[in-house]
Amino acid sequence: MKDQILKYLPWVALASLVIIQFFRIDKVQPPIDSSVDFLENTSVSEVEASLIKNACYDCHSHEVKYPWYANVAPVSFWVKGHVDNGVKKFNFSEFGSYTQKKANHKLEECVEVLEDKRMPLKSFTWLHPEARLSGEARQSLIDFFNSKIK
Ligand code: HEC
């Protein structure tokens, strides 16, 4: 009996992998409204803008660039989970629609997560070398977000 199960196990695993490919993640994003986008409406140097685009926009905006492996389940579920949770907490694409109080609070959180090295997520920088922040780049973003708190 045990041998029988062991014999079929790889096939069951393979079949499961094939079947979950039919569960596609929803990659449709709301249209970009540049009148409320953070980078479009903030005075920011090109260097900092590209740091933020590369390191943060893939989970905190409507401009997520999904990598090829986001098409392969179950990795796709994991990527989608990060994007959904990230954008729910903080959305650069809707920043302009936040109240001043909320905007300030989110900027303070940005400073905190950068100081604590919680963001960008490690699993993300592992696969996205362009999103890795040097100590200097991290500090420049901390100063930048601090300077935008009103
Ligand atoms: C790979 C996806 C991903 C990237 C890239 C990313 N974040 Fe996040 N972010 C998340 C997720 C998921 C959460 C919610 C869960 C958590 O707090 O860990 C979050 C939460 C946050 C929060 C809310 C923190 C809190 O205490 O609630 C802020 C602010 C934030 N991120 C800022 C940033 C900034 C700034 C960057 C770029 C330097 C960045 N994130 C890059 C996924 C990401």
Side-chain angles (χ1 to χ4, degrees), residues 55-56 59-60 82 85-86 89 109-110 113 118-121 124:
C56 317
C59 295
H60 293 289
H82 279 163
N85 284 333
K89 286 256 166 152
E109 283 187 344
C110 283
V113 296
R118 273 175 51 210
M119 295 287 149
L121 290 183
F124 180 77

Side-chain angles (χ1 to χ4, degrees), residues 51-52 54-60 81-83 85-87 89-90 92 106 109-110 112-114 118-121 123-124 133 141 145:
L51 282 176
I52 295 172
N54 285 335
C56 317
Y57 264 56
D58 264 345
C59 295
H60 293 289
H82 279 163
V83 174
N85 284 333
V87 85
K89 286 256 166 152
F90 178 45
F92 280 109
K106 290 295 156 189
E109 283 187 344
C110 283
E112 268 168 37
V113 296
L114 282 162
R118 273 175 51 210
M119 295 287 149
L121 290 183
S123 54
F124 180 77
L133 299 177
L141 284 185
F145 283 121

Side-chain angles (χ1 to χ4, degrees), residues 56-113:
C56 317
Y57 264 56
D58 264 345
C59 295
H60 293 289
S61 81
H62 296 158
E63 297 179 52
V64 174
K65 293 194 279 307
Y66 285 96
W68 65 266
Y69 49 80
N71 290 314
V72 185
V75 181
S76 53
F77 308 146
W78 179 72
V79 171
K80 178 72 175 153
H82 279 163
V83 174
D84 283 354
N85 284 333
V87 85
K88 200 164 63 191
K89 286 256 166 152
F90 178 45
N91 192 343
F92 280 109
S93 299
E94 291 177 352
F95 190 82
S97 66
Y98 291 172
T99 60
Q100 190 60 54
K101 190 168 168 237
K102 183 169 175 183
N104 280 341
H105 180 62
K106 290 295 156 189
L107 291 168
E108 281 163 15
E109 283 187 344
C110 283
V111 170
E112 268 168 37
V113 296

